[in-house]
Amino acid sequence: MKKVWIDAGHGGKDSGAVGNGVKEKDIVLTVSLAIKRKLESDYEGVQVLLTRSTDVFLELKDRTNKANAAGADLLVSIHCNAGGGSGGFESYTYNGTNNAATTALQNELHTEIMSRLKQYRVIDRGQKKKNLHMCRESRMPAVLTENLFVDVAADAARLKRLEVIEALVSGHVAGIAKYLKLQKRTQQLPASGTINILGPATATVDQAKEWARTNKAPAEFVELAKLYWELAPERGGVDPAIAYVQFGHETGYMYRDGRSAAGIDASYHNPCGLKITTGGGDYQASAHKRFKDWREGITAHLDHLALYAGAAGYPKKETPDPRHFKYLRGTAKTVDALGAKWAPSSSYGTRLVTEIVKLRGSKGAEKTETGNNGEEATIELNGKKICSGVFVNGLVTAPVRAVADALGAKVGWDGKHATVNGKQIIGSQLKGDVTYAPVREVVEAADGNVVDWIGKVRKVIIQK
């Protein structure tokens, strides 16, 4: 397994270069996150590690210390530039070495990135050397890329275009893949029983409303089902039942229990967690798109799903979808395939499938024995019991610390909820001296996976 370290420059209190309505820290985070998604989804045998995945500040020494400790095979530090007159793209390595591997990495990166930027008339400022910390202190081949100038109006305008961001992402990915000689993933046919995203409605609006009511959704969420069934046929032909279930999942049935973990609510009219074009942290409200009304937000949601599914005519020129990137087209044609693509969790698609079957009334499908409320359940890791939980309303809750400790995660408390690896556990509740939460929420915050639920013996199988 090859390890690639992607360093998104600046962050938090350090905005980096600012100009023409563009902040360097936002652009480089968007590019870095997209590089990780695309490289891991398109190529075999590669793991992408990030210095930061949210808008946080880290010292330079902390960045290189982490990369060195991880034993990464290469490092690419992503930046934007300023003060460059006519603007353009350039790349850097450390001026104190002539390491052949580093030179090879720079050659591949620079060539692939510029080959994609030429069509946008981006100036090639060349391959350079400089005494830069990220390149000097890294123990592996390291290159720093300066991706256009935020204070040059023409470059800033380019950085606001989705297709230019896509070019930067795909150029970095291609350069890294060529240097590491990575193999493209082979496209596999959907497994029997998977659910296609595109197609006619597989349930009625009334079925959708009933499903929403059983999940104790507010009246506004229930009534919005009609808008999905109205808009879906004209937005790529997405099955509205799939999109509506995703709406429920992404918004907690439209915030029936309060705001989302990111601090957004129904006033955003954002049904699926779509971020602004430049992206940002998962728990950063300002990184999420605020739509003018539900019609616009649902249209954006359907367009984003249609793009993932590879619908004819997509990507569209006219869409309210702020992240309508061409490279996403056709990357997830089934609901199952959304796992680790739409959301970080590999089980994301599986959870949606479970709810879609429920919405359809489970017609023609076997129902899995799940247990009765209040029954004890066992949580197992690597064949060993780590703790017991309780089955309540379709969920197994268990002590947060017991599950997190078994997965090597750090547990905390923010005054209202438990945290695991710094992520707020929304479903956590204090009972006596012990905090309980749904097992899946804790496991995924700890970067683990729930791989099975054996209803007959009430056992949850997890893995790291």
Side-chain angles (χ1 to χ4, degrees):
M1 177 71 72
K2 297 293 185 181
K3 291 184 180 180
V4 172
W5 195 278
I6 300 295
D7 172 64
H10 309 283
K13 65 182 181 181
D14 177 11
S15 63
V18 178
N20 298 293
V22 176
K23 289 184 180 180
E24 180 181 1
K25 69 172 184 177
D26 295 336
I27 294 293
V28 300
L29 180 58
T30 294
V31 171
S32 297
L33 292 171
I35 289 172
K36 174 179 172 63
R37 286 194 297 269
K38 186 169 177 61
L39 195 58
E40 291 182 337
S41 65
D42 288 2
Y43 293 90
E44 296 178 345
V46 63
Q47 179 185 18
V48 180
L49 305 170
L50 301 173
T51 296
R52 65 183 183 96
S53 58
T54 58
D55 185 24
V56 295
F57 173 77
L58 293 95
E59 298 286 354
L60 288 174
K61 66 178 181 179
D62 294 328
R63 294 168 182 264
T64 49
N65 284 349
K66 285 185 175 184
N68 291 336
D73 293 286
L74 65 85
L75 179 148
V76 182
S77 188
I78 314 293
H79 289 260
C80 294
N81 225 326
S86 299
F89 171 82
E90 59 193 20
S91 62
Y92 286 91
T93 58
Y94 174 45
N95 61 3
T97 181
N98 289 312
N99 179 272
T102 299
T103 299
L105 175 59
Q106 184 181 29
N107 288 342
E108 296 289 10
L109 276 171
H110 197 98
T111 299
E112 293 297 329
I113 294 168
M114 274 310 308
S115 71
R116 289 159 174 79
L117 292 178
K118 283 182 180 178
Q119 62 182 309
Y120 304 110
R121 298 182 180 179
V122 174
I123 296 171
D124 186 349
R125 295 172 60 91
Q127 298 177 220
K128 302 178 180 181
K129 290 178 175 287
K130 196 173 183 179
N131 186 14
L132 299 171
H133 176 96
M134 293 306 301
C135 298
R136 183 185 68 244
E137 301 300 323
S138 299
R139 296 175 188 161
M140 68 294 294
V143 175
L144 185 146
T145 61
E146 291 281 9
N147 299 276
L148 285 62
F149 286 69
V150 301
D151 63 343
V152 174
D155 268 6
R158 292 182 179 101
L159 289 170
K160 294 176 184 178
R161 296 170 61 182
L162 300 182
E163 60 268 31
V164 174
I165 296 296
E166 179 195 335
L168 291 171
V169 171
S170 61
H172 280 83
V173 168
I176 292 167
K178 282 194 173 184
Y179 171 77
L180 292 175
K181 296 180 173 57
L182 299 177
Q183 297 297 311
K184 276 266 193 180
R185 288 189 183 277
T186 55
Q187 293 295 321
Q188 297 180 346
L189 294 174
S192 176
T194 56
I195 297 177
N196 291 324
I197 292 172
L198 301 181
T202 55
T204 66
V205 173
D206 288 340
Q207 284 177 297
K209 288 183 175 181
E210 181 58 29
W211 169 80
R213 293 188 189 101
T214 62
N215 284 289
K216 300 180 181 179
E220 185 178 12
F221 179 88
V222 175
E223 290 307 310
L224 284 171
K226 292 187 293 186
L227 200 50
Y228 273 94
W229 265 252
E230 173 192 334
L231 294 174
E234 63 189 59
R235 309 310 296 193
V238 171
D239 179 352
I242 291 170
Y244 190 60
V245 164
Q246 192 177 33
F247 178 22
H249 176 81
E250 290 284 345
T251 64
Y253 301 93
M254 207 168 79
Y255 317 111
R256 66 181 180 194
D257 301 317
R259 294 188 174 197
S260 75
I264 73 172
D265 55 23
S267 69
Y268 278 70
H269 303 114
N270 188 331
C272 59
L274 279 171
K275 293 179 181 173
I276 58 177
T277 302
T278 53
D282 290 343
Y283 302 99
Q284 181 183 0
S286 61
H288 290 76
K289 176 69 175 179
R290 187 186 288 272
F291 295 99
K292 65 180 181 182
D293 53 32
W294 281 116
R295 177 173 288 273
E296 182 181 63
I298 290 171
T299 298
H301 180 194
L302 291 167
D303 278 352
H304 204 61
L305 261 180
L307 180 63
Y308 264 99
Y314 281 74
K316 298 174 75 70
K317 290 185 178 180
E318 300 296 329
T319 175
D321 176 11
R323 299 182 63 76
H324 209 63
F325 303 132
K326 183 179 178 181
Y327 69 82
L328 294 175
R329 187 178 189 275
T331 55
K333 296 185 178 182
T334 67
V335 177
D336 307 64
L338 291 171
K341 293 177 182 175
W342 186 290
S345 170
S346 59
S347 62
Y348 177 83
T350 305
R351 283 179 283 157
L352 293 183
V353 167
T354 299
E355 290 303 318
I356 291 165
V357 171
K358 290 180 182 178
L359 186 151
R360 293 173 177 175
S362 299
K363 187 176 181 179
E366 287 187 1
K367 292 186 178 180
T368 303
E369 182 183 349
T370 55
N372 299 313
N373 280 348
E375 289 185 331
E376 181 178 310
T378 301
I379 295 88
E380 256 187 27
L381 172 66
N382 298 330
K384 295 182 180 179
K385 177 181 175 180
I386 58 172
C387 65
S388 294
V390 180
F391 182 89
V392 180
N393 296 328
L395 294 174
V396 175
T397 62
V400 173
R401 185 170 294 280
V403 177
D405 283 352
L407 292 168
K410 184 178 180 180
V411 179
W413 180 261
D414 65 6
K416 186 176 181 182
H417 295 96
T419 61
V420 174
N421 286 346
K423 301 173 184 176
Q424 190 181 63
I425 306 300
I426 300 299
S428 60
Q429 292 185 336
L430 189 63
K431 297 180 181 180
D433 295 328
V434 180
T435 304
Y436 288 79
V439 172
R440 186 180 297 278
E441 187 178 3
V442 177
V443 170
E444 291 180 356
D447 296 325
N449 291 298
V450 175
V451 296
D452 201 3
W453 160 244
I454 306 174
K456 291 182 179 180
V457 293
R458 297 174 298 285
K459 182 184 294 183
V460 182
I461 308 296
I462 66 176
Q463 69 178 20
K464 179 69 173 177

